[in-house]
């Protein structure tokens, strides 16, 4: 059956020392009280090589992005192969902040996903509508197009390696969480879209995380839904105690 996962997305926060300290603290806390789900932290590129050896098998480590090119003259970019060489196992792709501020299109994301998979990284692929789309009741249409355009070129075998994260843009960093009913409804819809393309077995095995103002006080209620397989956590992943509170949503 599909995995339950709580993944942190540190975004552009914490210098190297602060990040290393947070990872150590989190490892100690989870060593003392083992989680009932997989735990992942996605960090800025520069933290990866320092953090992967510190956290062992207890915590998966991921990047927040990777390049859409394999290697070469792309100043400032970091390739999927470079990410994998640090020991990281995951990469967030298609985050709404990358789509909105760095103009990442489905065409670009398709290449990133392929390079991530070729380097044995698990993409945590983000989808989600903006407020105007939700208000116009277009959320299903939007997420279906995002998945179809960037992922449905994959074979069933490759698609099975993807983790999806539904992150309504209006809930990210706003303190406005999707209600458990809203989350369940669209997660079930997303699973049906996957089932239509790849069949029920692949859909049943796909982890679909919820992201957007998820915190220790609402995690349990969100994770209790049958189609919500965990969370992608921004702000609440920046303090070990808060992140642990979200992880305990599975207890
Ligand atoms: P917040 O948890 O800060 O709302 O961020 C969610 C997010 O964007 C995770 O990728």
């Amino acid at each position: 059956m599909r995995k339950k996962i709580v993944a942190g997305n540190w975004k552009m926060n914490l210098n190297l020392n602060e990040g290393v300290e947070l990872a150590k603290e989190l490892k100690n806390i989870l060593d003392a009280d083992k989680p009932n789900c997989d735990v992942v932290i996605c960090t800025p590129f520069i933290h990866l090589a320092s953090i992967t050896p510190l956290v062992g098998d207890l915590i998966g480590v991921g990047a927040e992005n990777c390049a859409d090119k394999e290697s070469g003259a792309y100043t400032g970019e970091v390739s999927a192969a470079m990410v994998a060489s640090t020991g990281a196992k995951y990469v967030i792709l298609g985050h709404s902040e990358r789509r909105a501020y760095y103009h990442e299109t489905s065409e670009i994301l398709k290449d990133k996903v392929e390079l991530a998979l070729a380097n044995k990284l698990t993409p945590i692929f983000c989808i989600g509508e903006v407020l105007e789309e939700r208000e116009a009741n277009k959320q299903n249409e939007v997420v279906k197009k995002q998945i179809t355009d960037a992922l449905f070129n994959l074979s069933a075998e490759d698609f099975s390696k993807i983790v999806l994260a539904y992150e309504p843009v209006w809930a990210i960093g706003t303190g406005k969480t999707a209600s458990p009913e809203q989350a369940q409804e669209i997660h079930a819809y997303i699973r049906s879209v996957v089932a239509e393309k790849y069949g029920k077995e692949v859909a049943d095995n796909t982890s679909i995380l919820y992201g957007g103002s998820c915190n220790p006080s609402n995690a349990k209620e969100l994770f209790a839904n049958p189609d919500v397989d965990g969370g992608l956590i921004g702000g609440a992943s920046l303090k070990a105690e808060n992140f642990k509170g979200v992880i305990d949503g599975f207890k």
Side-chain angles (χ1 to χ4, degrees):
M1 256 322 249
R2 57 186 178 261
K3 286 183 176 165
K4 307 280 183 205
I5 304 168
V6 172
N9 173 9
W10 289 0
K11 306 194 180 183
M12 197 172 73
N13 293 295
L14 309 175
N15 67 27
L16 181 58
N17 289 337
E18 291 164 344
V20 163
E21 286 312 308
L22 174 56
K24 281 188 193 160
E25 198 186 344
L26 189 63
K27 182 180 184 314
N28 289 339
I29 292 179
L30 295 179
D31 266 334
D33 182 16
K34 294 280 182 312
N36 285 346
C37 60
D38 287 8
V39 174
V40 176
I41 49 179
C42 297
T43 80
F45 292 125
I46 64 128
H47 297 61
L48 295 173
S50 304
I51 288 180
T52 51
L54 293 178
V55 294
D57 291 336
L58 190 62
I59 302 172
V61 178
E64 301 171 12
N65 180 30
C66 70
D68 61 339
K69 303 286 192 297
E70 206 171 319
S71 66
Y74 301 101
T75 302
E77 288 294 296
V78 175
S79 72
M82 291 172 186
V83 170
S85 74
T86 68
K89 301 280 185 240
Y90 296 83
V91 60
I92 297 174
L93 292 175
H95 193 281
S96 61
E97 288 149 17
R98 302 286 325 165
R99 293 177 190 260
Y101 308 145
Y102 302 98
H103 315 293
E104 293 193 5
T105 62
S106 292
E107 278 308 300
I108 293 173
L109 292 172
K110 215 196 262 184
D111 293 342
K112 293 191 177 198
V113 168
E114 278 176 10
L115 286 163
L117 291 173
N119 286 284
K120 302 196 167 19
L121 295 171
T122 298
I124 302 177
F125 190 84
C126 303
I127 52 177
E129 80 286 356
V130 299
L131 184 61
E132 301 80 68
E133 291 162 338
R134 167 67 62 168
E135 284 173 349
N137 203 27
K138 290 205 165 125
Q139 61 276 10
N140 287 5
E141 202 180 302
V142 170
V143 296
K144 182 174 187 177
K145 188 165 167 43
Q146 288 171 331
I147 300 173
T148 306
D149 291 355
L151 300 177
F152 279 1
N153 59 311
L154 296 174
S155 66
E157 192 192 339
D158 277 345
F159 186 88
S160 315
K161 297 170 189 158
I162 306 270
V163 171
L164 293 176
Y166 168 66
E167 299 205 303
V169 180
W170 48 270
I172 295 177
T174 58
K176 235 202 247 174
T177 319
S179 68
E181 295 74 25
Q182 282 173 322
Q184 170 54 28
E185 189 183 12
I186 194 154
H187 280 230
Y189 173 73
I190 293 164
R191 200 177 304 288
S192 77
V193 171
V194 174
E196 213 175 284
K197 169 77 182 172
Y198 293 108
K200 189 174 178 328
E201 196 184 332
V202 170
D204 282 345
N205 284 317
T206 302
S207 298
I208 308 176
L209 315 184
Y210 167 80
S213 299
C214 185
N215 60 46
S217 40
N218 58 29
K220 204 178 187 71
E221 227 188 339
L222 285 160
F223 300 168
N225 291 288
D227 288 291
V228 178
D229 306 311
L232 182 55
I233 316 302
S237 72
L238 295 173
K239 291 227 156 65
E241 187 189 320
N242 289 342
F243 195 46
K244 173 69 164 53
V246 175
I247 292 163
D248 285 349
F250 279 120
K251 291 210 163 163

